[in-house]
Amino acid sequence: MTISAGTFIRLTLLVLIGVVLQLAVVSQLMFFDSNADLAPLIVLSVGLLAGPVAGSITGFAAGFVVDMSLVQTVGLSSLLLTGVGYLAGRYRELRDASNSLVPPVGAALATLAFSAAFSVTQFLLGVESSVSPLLIRDFLVEALLNTLLAIPVFAVVRAILRPSLVEPNRPRRRSPLSGVRITTSS
């Protein structure tokens, strides 16, 4: 994916609207005293659809906007979401990311990794916060909620980025004799 002016505008609007939706709507919906987090889902979706460069850029921008809007340690979410976007993009390059189970499983893993790394880093930086065994329950509930939201978020991100994608995310089939991937053109 080449990052043109139109792609840059789409990604910027995606990040800004995602953060506003997170702060205004999603953070108000509680389930077992936890809520979903749209930032890792958006970054994961961009990485899976557009590759590691676009995923990393989106992760950095989303993390920076989240940190600035929540007045928390600036750069921490940017660092962690950059890693999420890069790893999702690398997965797209190395494996077949067209399977319909990739977004939900990726969302669960990305959410668990992001939440755990964020909490550990905040603790190591000396930020005053409560640490209890309930934190593990919150991680698991948040991962479950993000897993349920992964398919709709992935579909919305794909619809927004569709004009910018070079290669659409379509299923590939393998040759029965050699196991080599055969791409079908439409």
XYZ file of all heavy atoms in Angstrom, residues 37-103:
475
model
N -11.801 -1.721 23.920
C -10.832 -0.706 23.527
C -10.704 -0.759 22.011
O -10.247 -1.762 21.453
C -9.485 -0.976 24.200
C -8.514 0.171 24.039
O -8.902 1.197 23.438
O -7.375 0.045 24.506
N -11.105 0.311 21.334
C -11.104 0.329 19.883
C -9.724 0.563 19.278
O -9.491 0.173 18.134
C -12.058 1.414 19.371
C -13.540 1.200 19.622
C -14.341 2.368 19.061
C -14.007 -0.097 19.009
N -8.820 1.187 20.001
C -7.506 1.528 19.433
C -6.751 0.297 18.942
O -6.285 0.287 17.790
C -6.689 2.330 20.428
N -6.587 -0.763 19.757
C -5.881 -1.930 19.212
C -6.619 -2.586 18.040
O -5.981 -3.126 17.132
C -5.803 -2.907 20.393
C -6.046 -2.107 21.599
C -6.875 -0.940 21.172
N -7.941 -2.521 18.035
C -8.706 -3.115 16.938
C -8.486 -2.373 15.626
O -8.312 -2.992 14.572
C -10.193 -3.129 17.276
C -10.637 -4.015 18.428
C -12.128 -3.871 18.662
C -10.265 -5.447 18.169
N -8.497 -1.055 15.690
C -8.286 -0.258 14.476
C -6.879 -0.457 13.949
O -6.666 -0.671 12.750
C -8.581 1.230 14.766
C -10.073 1.426 15.027
C -8.110 2.117 13.626
C -10.448 2.790 15.537
N -5.902 -0.425 14.848
C -4.503 -0.591 14.435
C -4.278 -1.995 13.873
O -3.603 -2.163 12.848
C -3.561 -0.291 15.625
C -2.131 -0.643 15.290
C -3.679 1.169 16.025
N -4.828 -3.008 14.511
C -4.718 -4.377 14.022
C -5.338 -4.501 12.639
O -4.749 -5.117 11.736
C -5.402 -5.343 14.994
C -5.451 -6.795 14.554
C -4.146 -7.486 14.904
C -6.614 -7.506 15.200
N -6.493 -3.918 12.432
C -7.169 -3.998 11.138
C -6.361 -3.318 10.044
O -6.219 -3.856 8.938
C -8.553 -3.361 11.227
O -9.352 -4.043 12.164
N -5.812 -2.146 10.337
C -4.987 -1.454 9.336
C -3.745 -2.274 9.024
O -3.352 -2.409 7.865
C -4.626 -0.029 9.814
C -3.599 0.605 8.890
C -5.863 0.836 9.885
N -3.112 -2.845 10.040
C -1.931 -3.673 9.803
C -2.249 -4.890 8.959
O -1.490 -5.235 8.048
N -3.366 -5.558 9.242
C -3.740 -6.747 8.472
C -4.122 -6.407 7.035
O -3.921 -7.215 6.128
C -4.898 -7.477 9.144
C -4.569 -8.236 10.423
C -5.840 -8.802 11.049
C -3.567 -9.344 10.164
N -4.678 -5.229 6.815
C -5.111 -4.858 5.470
C -4.034 -4.155 4.652
O -3.955 -4.342 3.442
C -6.341 -3.952 5.548
C -7.620 -4.605 6.015
C -8.668 -3.564 6.340
C -8.128 -5.567 4.961
N -3.201 -3.356 5.293
C -2.296 -2.484 4.545
C -0.817 -2.777 4.748
O 0.007 -2.208 4.049
C -2.576 -1.033 4.915
N -0.455 -3.609 5.703
C 0.951 -3.944 5.882
C 1.576 -3.272 7.092
O 0.927 -2.487 7.803
N 2.858 -3.569 7.339
C 3.503 -3.103 8.562
C 3.766 -1.600 8.625
O 3.708 -1.011 9.698
C 4.812 -3.884 8.603
C 5.049 -4.353 7.238
C 3.715 -4.473 6.580
N 4.032 -0.966 7.498
C 4.328 0.472 7.528
C 3.071 1.264 7.885
O 3.084 2.099 8.798
C 4.918 0.939 6.178
C 5.078 2.447 6.152
C 6.251 0.262 5.922
N 1.987 0.988 7.185
C 0.729 1.689 7.484
C 0.228 1.327 8.874
O -0.300 2.188 9.594
C -0.327 1.347 6.443
N 0.398 0.067 9.295
C -0.006 -0.338 10.637
C 0.786 0.372 11.715
O 0.236 0.803 12.732
N 2.104 0.516 11.500
C 2.948 1.209 12.480
C 2.607 2.693 12.568
O 2.522 3.256 13.660
C 4.422 1.053 12.109
O 4.794 -0.290 12.130
N 2.408 3.313 11.415
C 2.065 4.743 11.408
C 0.721 4.969 12.096
O 0.574 5.886 12.916
C 2.040 5.273 9.955
C 3.456 5.285 9.388
C 1.413 6.652 9.887
C 3.511 5.556 7.907
N -0.243 4.127 11.788
C -1.564 4.252 12.411
C -1.472 3.988 13.910
O -2.119 4.674 14.703
C -2.555 3.282 11.759
O -2.578 3.527 10.355
C -3.945 3.449 12.325
N -0.674 2.999 14.308
C -0.503 2.705 15.734
C 0.109 3.872 16.484
O -0.338 4.221 17.584
N 1.141 4.479 15.895
C 1.755 5.628 16.552
C 0.769 6.781 16.682
O 0.637 7.386 17.749
C 2.999 6.089 15.791
C 3.680 7.254 16.436
C 4.539 7.056 17.501
C 3.448 8.549 15.997
C 5.146 8.127 18.120
C 4.055 9.621 16.606
C 4.912 9.420 17.675
N 0.053 7.082 15.588
C -0.899 8.196 15.616
C -2.038 7.934 16.592
O -2.416 8.822 17.375
C -1.449 8.436 14.214
N -2.581 6.724 16.569
C -3.683 6.402 17.481
C -3.215 6.470 18.934
O -3.920 7.010 19.795
C -4.244 5.018 17.170
N -2.044 5.930 19.208
C -1.520 5.982 20.576
C -1.267 7.403 21.047
O -1.553 7.748 22.199
N -0.742 8.232 20.157
C -0.472 9.618 20.531
C -1.765 10.366 20.818
O -1.862 11.094 21.813
C 0.318 10.315 19.417
C 0.796 11.678 19.788
C 1.834 11.835 20.692
C 0.204 12.802 19.252
C 2.272 13.103 21.040
C 0.628 14.059 19.595
C 1.669 14.216 20.498
N -2.784 10.175 19.988
C -4.070 10.846 20.201
C -4.727 10.347 21.485
O -5.273 11.136 22.267
C -4.994 10.661 18.974
C -6.389 11.170 19.250
C -4.413 11.354 17.765
N -4.644 9.035 21.743
C -5.217 8.490 22.980
C -4.497 9.055 24.196
O -5.132 9.478 25.173
C -5.152 6.936 22.969
C -5.413 6.373 24.349
C -6.149 6.376 21.986
N -3.165 9.078 24.167
C -2.400 9.609 25.300
C -2.706 11.082 25.546
O -2.842 11.515 26.699
C -0.900 9.425 25.060
C -0.447 8.000 25.231
O -1.182 7.207 25.849
O 0.656 7.666 24.752
N -2.797 11.851 24.484
C -3.072 13.278 24.649
C -4.499 13.532 25.138
O -4.731 14.434 25.935
C -2.841 14.019 23.324
C -1.393 14.015 22.886
S -0.289 14.794 24.057
C -0.704 16.487 23.831
N -5.452 12.742 24.671
C -6.837 12.984 25.068
C -7.128 12.495 26.482
O -7.989 13.041 27.158
C -7.802 12.334 24.079
O -7.602 10.945 24.054
N -6.416 11.483 26.949
C -6.634 10.975 28.306
C -5.657 11.543 29.322
O -5.712 11.180 30.496
C -6.534 9.443 28.311
C -7.625 8.709 27.554
C -7.365 7.207 27.569
C -8.984 9.010 28.141
N -4.752 12.404 28.892
C -3.749 13.035 29.741
C -3.030 11.963 30.574
O -3.072 11.960 31.793
C -4.361 14.131 30.641
C -3.269 14.930 31.326
C -5.269 15.048 29.861
N -2.402 11.053 29.866
C -1.625 10.001 30.518
C -0.198 10.054 29.990
O 0.145 10.964 29.251
C -2.270 8.638 30.306
C -2.446 8.225 28.873
C -3.306 6.981 28.738
O -4.002 6.608 29.659
N -3.264 6.363 27.587
N 0.624 9.121 30.377
C 2.026 9.117 29.993
C 2.142 9.160 28.467
O 1.794 8.206 27.776
C 2.727 7.855 30.531
O 2.482 7.757 31.927
C 4.211 7.907 30.257
N 2.645 10.283 27.958
C 2.698 10.489 26.516
C 3.764 9.582 25.907
O 4.894 9.544 26.360
C 3.001 11.966 26.184
C 3.134 12.170 24.683
C 1.920 12.863 26.739
N 3.374 8.850 24.899
C 4.296 7.995 24.179
C 4.156 6.521 24.497
O 4.597 5.688 23.722
N 3.566 6.192 25.622
C 3.465 4.789 26.001
C 2.497 4.039 25.088
O 2.837 2.992 24.533
C 3.041 4.654 27.463
C 2.934 3.241 28.006
C 4.248 2.508 27.849
C 2.526 3.276 29.465
N 1.302 4.567 24.901
C 0.353 3.923 23.994
C 0.877 3.946 22.566
O 0.670 2.992 21.806
C -1.004 4.615 24.044
O -1.587 4.457 25.306
N 1.573 5.024 22.192
C 2.147 5.100 20.846
C 3.141 3.983 20.613
O 3.126 3.325 19.571
C 2.848 6.445 20.645
O 1.948 7.493 20.742
N 4.010 3.758 21.580
C 5.008 2.703 21.458
C 4.353 1.331 21.333
O 4.698 0.545 20.442
C 5.938 2.731 22.672
C 6.972 1.612 22.760
C 8.009 1.777 21.667
C 7.621 1.619 24.124
N 3.398 1.046 22.194
C 2.770 -0.271 22.199
C 1.891 -0.498 20.973
O 1.895 -1.587 20.386
C 1.968 -0.456 23.487
C 2.801 -0.413 24.776
C 1.896 -0.460 25.988
C 3.818 -1.526 24.803
N 1.139 0.515 20.554
C 0.286 0.353 19.372
C 1.101 0.326 18.082
O 0.678 -0.292 17.099
C -0.775 1.449 19.326
C -1.882 1.313 20.367
C -2.804 2.516 20.334
C -2.661 0.036 20.177
N 2.264 0.966 18.080
C 3.161 0.837 16.932
C 3.587 -0.615 16.768
O 3.614 -1.154 15.657
C 4.391 1.747 17.100
O 3.953 3.098 17.173
C 5.357 1.598 15.932
N 3.888 -1.263 17.882
C 4.241 -2.689 17.837
C 3.087 -3.558 17.367
O 3.276 -4.491 16.587
N 1.875 -3.252 17.824
C 0.696 -4.012 17.392
C 0.503 -3.883 15.879
O 0.295 -4.871 15.173
C -0.572 -3.548 18.146
C -1.830 -4.106 17.508
C -0.505 -3.950 19.602
N 0.588 -2.658 15.363
C 0.415 -2.435 13.929
C 1.497 -3.097 13.098
O 1.227 -3.685 12.048
N 2.737 -3.033 13.581
C 3.842 -3.646 12.846
C 3.702 -5.163 12.812
O 3.859 -5.792 11.761
C 5.179 -3.250 13.465
C 6.342 -3.917 12.780
C 6.782 -3.463 11.537
C 6.975 -5.010 13.341
C 7.830 -4.074 10.884
C 8.028 -5.637 12.696
C 8.449 -5.165 11.473
O 9.488 -5.781 10.825
N 3.398 -5.760 13.956
C 3.274 -7.222 14.008
C 2.090 -7.718 13.182
O 2.174 -8.776 12.535
C 3.170 -7.693 15.449
C 4.456 -7.548 16.268
C 4.203 -7.923 17.720
C 5.571 -8.376 15.681
N 0.989 -6.977 13.183
C -0.155 -7.365 12.347
C 0.214 -7.280 10.869
O -0.147 -8.163 10.077
C -1.356 -6.469 12.650
N 0.934 -6.244 10.498
C 1.364 -6.113 9.104
C 2.355 -7.190 8.702
O 2.312 -7.709 7.581
N 3.267 -7.542 9.599
C 4.212 -8.624 9.302
C 3.483 -9.951 9.174
O 3.839 -10.773 8.334
C 5.291 -8.726 10.386
C 6.321 -7.666 10.333
C 7.105 -7.687 9.055
N 7.949 -8.876 9.015
C 8.510 -9.366 7.926
N 8.329 -8.782 6.780
N 9.249 -10.449 7.969
N 2.458 -10.174 9.984
C 1.664 -11.382 9.847
C 1.034 -11.437 8.465
O 1.008 -12.484 7.822
C 0.586 -11.463 10.928
C -0.218 -12.740 10.836
C 0.253 -13.911 11.403
C -1.419 -12.777 10.150
C -0.461 -15.100 11.290
C -2.137 -13.950 10.029
C -1.655 -15.112 10.603
O -2.350 -16.273 10.469
N 0.539 -10.293 7.996
C -0.066 -10.230 6.660
C 0.950 -10.579 5.590
O 0.627 -11.234 4.607
C -0.614 -8.836 6.407
C -1.206 -8.657 5.025
C -1.561 -7.189 4.792
N -2.210 -7.012 3.527
C -1.563 -6.793 2.393
N -0.257 -6.741 2.367
N -2.224 -6.615 1.274
N 2.205 -10.136 5.757
C 3.227 -10.417 4.759
C 3.681 -11.871 4.772
O 4.016 -12.423 3.738
C 4.445 -9.521 4.984
C 4.224 -8.089 4.605
C 5.451 -7.233 4.832
O 6.400 -7.700 5.498
O 5.456 -6.099 4.340
N 3.715 -12.482 5.937
C 4.270 -13.823 6.065
C 3.237 -14.932 5.964
O 3.575 -16.064 5.608
C 5.017 -13.950 7.390
C 6.210 -13.016 7.565
C 6.788 -13.159 8.964
C 7.261 -13.284 6.512
N 2.020 -14.676 6.323
C 0.972 -15.694 6.348
C -0.223 -15.243 5.536
O -0.339 -14.093 5.135
C 0.514 -15.970 7.791
C 1.603 -16.386 8.713
C 1.843 -17.867 8.576
N 2.851 -18.269 9.553
C 3.967 -18.877 9.230
N 4.240 -19.166 7.993
N 4.835 -19.222 10.154
N -1.161 -16.147 5.350
C -2.389 -15.843 4.636
C -3.380 -15.220 5.619
O -3.950 -15.918 6.450
C -2.956 -17.123 4.025
C -4.157 -16.849 3.148
O -4.371 -15.682 2.786
O -4.861 -17.817 2.811
N -3.564 -13.913 5.526
C -4.416 -13.197 6.468
C -5.861 -13.098 5.993
O -6.637 -12.336 6.551
C -3.854 -11.802 6.711
N -6.235 -13.864 4.979
C -7.590 -13.759 4.452
C -8.588 -14.651 5.185
O -9.778 -14.577 4.916
C -7.599 -14.103 2.961
O -7.209 -15.445 2.774
N -8.127 -15.471 6.097
C -9.030 -16.328 6.866
C -9.920 -15.451 7.754
O -9.467 -14.472 8.335
C -8.225 -17.300 7.720
C -9.081 -18.377 8.340
O -10.280 -18.208 8.517
N -8.457 -19.483 8.668
N -11.182 -15.813 7.872
C -12.119 -14.986 8.645
C -11.868 -15.058 10.153
O -12.405 -14.244 10.899
C -13.557 -15.394 8.343
O -13.765 -16.737 8.736
N -11.061 -15.998 10.617
C -10.751 -16.083 12.047
C -9.556 -15.225 12.452
O -9.301 -15.060 13.636
C -10.483 -17.536 12.441
C -11.682 -18.456 12.454
C -11.262 -19.872 12.804
C -12.722 -17.963 13.424
N -8.835 -14.691 11.490
C -7.644 -13.897 11.819
C -7.996 -12.638 12.611
O -7.359 -12.364 13.632
C -6.832 -13.575 10.547
C -5.737 -12.566 10.826
C -6.231 -14.848 9.980
N -9.002 -11.828 12.214
C -9.301 -10.638 13.018
C -9.721 -10.930 14.463
O -9.191 -10.292 15.380
C -10.418 -9.935 12.236
C -10.222 -10.381 10.838
C -9.725 -11.798 10.935
